[in-house]
Amino acid sequence: METKIFSKDQLDDAVKLLKRGELVAFPTETVYGLGALATDEVAVKNVYAAKGRPSDNPLIVTVSNPEMMARYVTQIPEVAEKLINQFWPGPLTIILKVKEGALPNAVTGGLTTAAFRNPQDKLTQELISKLDAPIVGPSANTSTKPSPTTAEHVFHDLNGKIAGIVDNGPTEIGLESTIIDLSVETPVVLRPGEITPEQLSEALGQAVLMNKGTTQTKGVPKAPGMKYRHYAPSAPVYIVDDVKDFEKIVYNNQVGVAALSNVLKNIEANNTFNLGENIDEAAHNLFGALRYFDEQKNIKKIYVQGFQQGDISAAYMNRLTKAAAGHHYFNK
Ligand code: TXA
Ligand code: MG
């Protein structure tokens, strides 16, 4: 199969393919998603196959507006209404209870809930409106690899496995949406993203919990995807928390370094990836950096700058910690 790249004036071709049950990747403000009609069980199963994703890991249901979501949920609780009013369309995914049988088991992983997201990208909104049905939207990467922030990243991973990619340039944020579970008594953030727990509790007028571990008390994974190794290039990654440590590292061509430009200019490394000028740019560039070094077959170690400050630092460190399997320079 030849994977076609669609520009903004070829959206109808993408709609046709999706209607036929084919897979088409789509842009969002966070990362590119892998779309298939959420109501078509066979198409959804093909999403797992194309990504190489374990089938117990449920998919996000991507809608063009809250009304579309209302077709599938048992009710929209007040907490959901507040967050939708403030943050949709935007990088926030909400988990709600769904009507029994409303969505295929392949979407929900057999759970009684589903994750809903309404992204900002205008092309994607138009695509879903034209379908008049939601599309599933896991990140459009091979399972365990860094999420794709450009159409080229998607093509690299999924060329020949999916029918098409709608290209709307590089994504803005570069890290996946914040996920909040609203199907439980007290809302719980299952995955950190650009929208912070502080913003969410302010909008709700109540505290939200932060899911630190990956499992519920009964051992049932909450965001089930959290239990797998993720975002990982082949070579080991180490987080450098203290910028002074960059000066202690012994560099050669087999050592990759991703850091802000003000760090890179002070060190003698030659295999570098510039993360930009600040934490927001670093978040935007992180997955691209991991992919860049993953392409180099001789690389032995990758050092990546860590951040403690900034709204998006929790999301950044969450992804980087997974890529590094928890390894830091200082305890190496
Ligand atoms: O920004 C994003 O959210 C991107 C773009 C493409 O929309 N999508 C994305 O999807 O990151 P994915 O599949 O890579 O991550 C979704 C996470 C997974 O960890 C999955 O386990 C979790 O959401 N999830 C899905 N449905 C769930 C549910 N009903 N309960 C708990 N977790 C759920
Ligand atoms: Mg993913």
Side-chain angles (χ1 to χ4, degrees), residues 60 88 91-95 115-117 177-181 191:
I60 290 179
W88 274 20
L92 179 69
T93 298
I94 62 176
I95 291 175
F116 293 91
R117 164 143 155 73
S177 61
T178 305
I179 303 181
I180 187 164
D181 190 352
R191 180 174 72 184

Side-chain angles (χ1 to χ4, degrees), residues 55-69:
S55 59
D56 64 343
N57 188 5
L59 304 174
I60 290 179
V61 179
T62 320
V63 295
S64 53
N65 53 46
E67 292 72 40
M68 189 178 272
M69 179 183 79

Side-chain angles (χ1 to χ4, degrees), residues 91 131 264:
L131 282 168
L264 293 179

